[in-house]
Amino acid sequence: MALRDKLLDKILRGTSDANIPFADLCQLLNRLGFDERIRGNHHIFTKAGIEEILNLQPRGAKAKPYQAGA
């Protein structure tokens, strides 16, 4: 299983939300076709056809647990 598949599986299972590396989460969203823009420490992800905007912020090197599992 590829690293991105493992990360996606980990996120979807919701068992390790506090241990998701922020850089890996951003890379996964980019590979899934999201556009990224950065304002300070806010990484804003958008994608055509998806109304929700993802506004993610790192907590150290990890993604904030409530954002990774949302």
Side-chain angles (χ1 to χ4, degrees):
M1 185 181 283
L3 179 61
R4 73 173 184 208
D5 294 332
K6 287 181 183 180
L7 179 61
L8 182 57
D9 184 54
K10 183 188 286 190
I11 291 168
L12 293 175
R13 280 187 286 122
T15 56
S16 299
D17 292 345
N19 292 316
I20 305 294
F22 187 76
D24 292 349
L25 179 59
C26 291
Q27 185 179 37
L28 174 66
L29 290 170
N30 285 318
R31 287 184 177 172
L32 291 173
F34 284 82
D35 295 316
E36 178 182 15
R37 89 175 184 258
I38 301 170
R39 302 280 172 143
N41 69 342
H42 293 255
H43 292 248
I44 302 162
F45 293 88
T46 57
K47 185 174 180 178
I50 297 179
E51 292 185 29
E52 288 289 325
I53 295 172
L54 298 173
N55 183 355
L56 306 179
Q57 302 156 305
R59 177 175 286 156
K62 304 285 184 184
K64 291 183 177 180
Y66 67 90
Q67 293 177 338

